[in-house]
Amino acid sequence: MMSESRQPLRKASPFQVAKTVLSAFIGIRRRAAHERDAVTISPVQAIIAGLIAAAVFVFCLVMLARFVTS
């Protein structure tokens, strides 16, 4: 029961978190990758990376709109 030896959880690298968030933005995820990332990525990492990615996306849209309208 509780005597099972558990492996220490490995934290995801910033690159892995970015890759996961960007693939979630465009909607392509494999089941195996999702299950692996669910174990290694903490909710705080996912939230921070998502906010950064959203800010960069909005910034790019604003710059594109300014470029097109100028």
Side-chain angles (χ1 to χ4, degrees):
M1 294 188 213
M2 293 299 242
S3 62
E4 294 179 13
S5 63
R6 294 185 180 203
Q7 295 178 357
L9 291 178
R10 197 179 97 236
K11 282 211 147 205
S13 71
F15 177 73
Q16 288 173 319
V17 175
K19 187 172 73 168
T20 299
V21 168
L22 292 177
S23 65
F25 262 49
I26 59 175
I28 55 171
R29 296 284 294 149
R30 292 186 181 201
R31 182 181 199 123
H34 172 71
E35 291 172 357
R36 182 191 66 236
D37 293 339
V39 174
T40 59
I41 296 175
S42 73
V44 173
Q45 286 176 313
I47 291 169
I48 291 172
L51 290 173
I52 292 170
V56 169
F57 179 70
V58 169
F59 176 77
C60 289
L61 287 179
V62 169
M63 290 296 113
L64 179 65
R66 284 187 178 186
F67 176 74
V68 169
T69 59
S70 64

